[in-house]
Amino acid sequence: MRLLLGGMIAAGLVLLFGRHAPAAPSADIWARCGSSLLALALALLLALCIGVFVGLRARQMGPRMERFIALLGRALACVPVVALVWGFIGGWIGRLGWPVESLMPAQFPDGQDSRQVLLAHVLWEFLAPALILALPLCGEMIHAVIMSGSSVLDLDFSLRARGVPKASRLWLHHLSQLRPLLRVRLQSLCLIAPVYLIIIEDALHFMGWGGWMAHSLRTGDAPGIALGFASAGAMLALLCTCLHLLPGRLKSAGGSVATLAWQPWLLWALGLLALLPSSVIAWIILWMAVLLSGCAGWHQAWNRIEANLPVDAARVCGATDSMIWRNHIAFVLFRMLTAWLCTVLAHTLLGMAAACALLPRLIDALSAPLAKIYRPLATASAQSAMQTLADPTALIQSGACIALAALCLIQVSRIVQPRLS
């Protein structure tokens, strides 16, 4: 309900302040939404299966290998999606010459028009965007499986004492504990996956919601953006409802903070950037969107840490309120805020990559060093796409720099963030 109502409210605000008359939905918008919903569901399923398999296999290899694979998963999630999709196009089509149905369809002899061939065409048309979208989502799921595994109750010793086999301890008991955490992580990935899908469908010319939304963003079509917000809210609400049917529950966060955070703020920010002129304010809006998207999780984390601070013990020992604030609260709060800002800055760098890929005019508002890094990601025109395919070095270097910076900021956030038992 939050997603559905949020999409409707965002669409209404765009129509209200955009000063455009509401446009009638295009005839193929619902078919496009169905195609994108299927691709998104396939990508989430692939990410879940691969993440669970790799994460649990890493647990069997020991703690060092587990941490290393978690770092690799986080690094994969930090690679800009525009670099992934154009790297796939350049390698799959440019180097190998293999088909992608929406760009370069497979050619068969005239006599091979069987149902199997037609089914293969349809399957590969949907699998190509789903596979590319699954890459960053898979990195997030691998990291989630490994990191969440250390936060659940360790039953390995008791199960071993009862004679439970090792495979059953891992793939049955441990996985059953992880299911609620994985369901919540999948639902949170639904909030950022539509932005990735827009970039992927636009690059692959896939006839889905994402390609239509990319055209609306570039042209600044307020009715089209509003319709995209409303349809995205409906798609995400349907996906999250289906995921909510999975077994296992966690204590949900309530209140206005959770309601604000549980929205696709990055998608809304891109729509707002498309309607605003290019300026520094645009990047502040993007930063605020990333800030709002993670506020509920950081608020919950701070509440848990604050509940474990030795405030009562210090007060019993005769410490004044100023001493308690200075020695126990201020230092921990400063570390918490530092970790939060580092994470927000890392996700802002990735959000800027998505915005530059869809709205190249925003690059002019960046400083010269940042504009040099983000400019190769702007492949909106046919000329820039041909240049990228002919020489992908600049795109690879740009994606690597952004991924490395985001990964370093996230690692600094994990180091600085306080953890109290």
Side-chain angles (χ1 to χ4, degrees), residues 13 18 25 40-41 57 60 65 75 105 110 114 232 260 272 368 386 389-390 405:
L13 291 176
L40 184 55
R57 289 292 297 175
Q60 294 178 321
M65 185 60 66
D110 296 335
S114 62
L260 285 176
L272 186 57
M386 293 299 295
L389 292 178

Side-chain angles (χ1 to χ4, degrees), residues 75-276:
L76 179 60
C78 289
V79 179
V81 179
V82 61
L84 290 175
V85 65
W86 282 105
F88 169 79
I89 294 174
W92 191 269
I93 297 179
R95 296 293 180 88
L96 301 177
W98 291 347
V100 172
E101 293 303 311
S102 53
L103 287 177
M104 190 182 71
Q107 299 294 330
F108 291 93
D110 296 335
Q112 296 186 5
D113 290 332
S114 62
R115 294 181 179 178
Q116 290 82 358
V117 173
L118 295 178
L119 180 61
H121 279 292
V122 174
L123 285 178
W124 182 233
E125 184 178 2
F126 283 93
L127 281 177
L131 288 173
I132 302 174
L133 179 59
L135 287 177
L137 302 184
C138 178
E140 291 283 357
M141 288 306 301
I142 291 173
H143 186 269
V145 170
I146 295 176
M147 292 296 103
S148 299
S150 60
S151 61
V152 300
L153 184 63
D154 191 4
L155 301 176
D156 188 73
F157 182 76
S158 60
L159 293 174
R160 189 186 309 167
R162 290 164 50 189
V164 178
K166 183 177 181 181
S168 298
R169 294 198 304 266
L170 183 65
W171 295 95
L172 182 61
H173 296 277
H174 185 67
L175 184 58
S176 64
Q177 290 182 295
L178 287 178
R179 279 185 304 190
L181 300 173
L182 297 182
R183 178 180 60 82
V184 174
R185 180 57 67 95
L186 280 175
Q187 289 178 331
S188 65
L189 290 179
C190 289
L191 302 180
I192 61 173
V195 177
Y196 295 166
L197 194 62
I198 293 174
I199 299 173
I200 293 171
E201 289 189 7
D202 179 57
L204 294 180
H205 294 175
F206 182 77
M207 295 298 293
W209 169 85
W212 176 79
M213 190 66 181
H215 176 73
S216 299
L217 290 173
R218 289 201 180 99
T219 57
D221 181 19
I225 293 174
L227 183 58
F229 285 171
S231 56
M235 288 192 301
L236 297 182
L238 180 60
L239 273 178
C240 289
T241 302
C242 294
L243 291 173
H244 203 71
L245 298 176
L246 295 177
R249 292 293 178 266
L250 294 176
K251 184 179 179 181
S252 60
S256 58
V257 177
T259 302
L260 285 176
W262 199 256
Q263 299 293 340
W265 284 103
L266 185 57
L267 175 63
W268 295 354
L270 289 179
L272 186 57
L273 296 184
L275 299 176
L276 291 178

Side-chain angles (χ1 to χ4, degrees), residues 352-388:
M352 290 170 61
C356 292
L358 294 172
L359 304 170
R361 61 180 176 81
L362 295 175
I363 300 178
D364 297 333
L366 294 173
S367 60
L370 286 177
K372 184 178 180 181
I373 294 175
Y374 281 96
R375 197 172 298 279
L377 302 180
T379 53
S381 64
Q383 182 180 1
S384 60
M386 293 299 295
Q387 185 177 359
T388 299

